[in-house]
Amino acid sequence: MNQELDYAEMLEIPVSTVNVVKKKSIFKHRAKKTQPPRQEDLKELVVDSVNERVGAFTYTEDLSELPVEENPQPVRAVSDKGSKIIITELVAVCVLAVAIFLTNVFMPTSVINTFISSLANRQPAAVEPTYSEIKLSPVVSELAEADVTVTDSGVLCFTAKSSVYPVCSGTVSAITESEGLYTVQIKHTSSFSSVITGLSSVYSAKGTKVQANIPFAYSDGENEVRVSMYDGETLLNCYTLSEEEVPVWNS
């Protein structure tokens, strides 16, 4: 039993049982009348005694032998790099703002000012419609007694006293006069234009914007008025007249 107890103490672990062997004494003596303890009770006493002497088993790790780094590197925050980038960008923006301010004050016609002004004034280019997407209007008043016809080549013609209207809105690009009659060219888009001849008088000057519902000229009915429409330099004849004498593009 002593060997098992010593082994338990060396392992420093608690025990839950032990074998107890009771040897007979070589000396005979008179047995006491008291009843000897049972073998199970002796086992419990021995186990309790060993556990009290050994105590609960605990594990501790000796950290003294672990290698120690001589020059530990400082822990850098992940955000340090991002902060430096943001600060650099802010400094660059401030420097640029100061440079623009100084050039505006002392050199208003500098290259950078001209470039920035062009960017500020630049507007997105409008998508220009094709001539077939433009709605056409009658060239004479509804109250005028004018019989408007269209030739096979695509020229509108009439002879009557009437105010004359453009086929659609645009800008007067040219006015010419010959033998008391006027010829007016109107630019509706960069490629679509109209030319009106045989006019007695013109109300609009060159460069004036005209609208489809406002007359720009007049015919005294003594001469034929002819209206021709062009796509670039090509005479257009891809339209017909409705019952109200309104030019309509062929579908």
Side-chain angles (χ1 to χ4, degrees), residues 108-163:
T109 59
S110 63
V111 176
I112 187 172
N113 283 337
T114 304
F115 175 73
I116 293 174
S117 299
S118 64
L119 291 179
N121 297 328
R122 184 179 299 174
Q123 297 179 354
V127 179
E128 189 177 65
T130 61
Y131 69 86
S132 60
E133 296 174 338
I134 298 174
K135 183 179 180 180
L136 301 179
S137 301
V139 296
V140 295
S141 172
E142 295 178 355
L143 302 177
E145 296 180 357
D147 185 16
V148 181
T149 60
V150 57
T151 66
D152 294 337
S153 59
V155 179
L156 293 170
C157 303
F158 70 92
T159 303
K161 289 183 179 181
S162 175
S163 295

Side-chain angles (χ1 to χ4, degrees), residues 11-12 56-66:
L11 293 179
E12 296 183 354
F57 173 72
T58 57
Y59 172 76
T60 58
E61 183 179 0
D62 188 5
L63 302 178
S64 60
E65 296 182 359
L66 293 177

Side-chain angles (χ1 to χ4, degrees), residues 72-84:
Q73 297 293 331
V75 179
R76 296 182 179 179
V78 177
S79 61
D80 287 350
K81 186 176 181 180
S83 301
K84 291 180 180 179

Side-chain angles (χ1 to χ4, degrees), residues 137-196:
S137 301
V139 296
V140 295
S141 172
E142 295 178 355
L143 302 177
E145 296 180 357
D147 185 16
V148 181
T149 60
V150 57
T151 66
D152 294 337
S153 59
V155 179
L156 293 170
C157 303
F158 70 92
T159 303
K161 289 183 179 181
S162 175
S163 295
V164 182
Y165 297 77
V167 292
C168 60
S169 59
T171 303
V172 177
S173 58
I175 300 176
T176 58
E177 186 267 337
S178 177
E179 298 179 358
L181 298 177
Y182 295 90
T183 298
V184 177
Q185 182 182 25
I186 300 175
K187 294 284 290 184
H188 305 289
T189 67
S190 60
S191 60
F192 179 47
S193 63
S194 61
V195 177
I196 304 95

Side-chain angles (χ1 to χ4, degrees), residues 5-48:
L5 292 178
D6 293 339
Y7 182 69
E9 290 180 357
M10 286 190 294
L11 293 179
E12 296 183 354
I13 58 175
V15 296
S16 60
T17 183
V18 67
N19 294 325
V20 178
V21 179
K22 184 178 180 182
K23 296 181 179 180
K24 294 181 180 181
S25 175
I26 57 177
F27 301 99
K28 294 181 179 180
H29 56 84
R30 184 178 294 176
K32 296 181 180 180
K33 293 182 179 181
T34 59
Q35 186 178 356
R38 295 180 303 169
Q39 188 174 0
E40 288 77 6
D41 295 336
L42 290 176
K43 287 183 179 182
E44 293 180 1
L45 291 175
V46 172
V47 170
D48 292 339

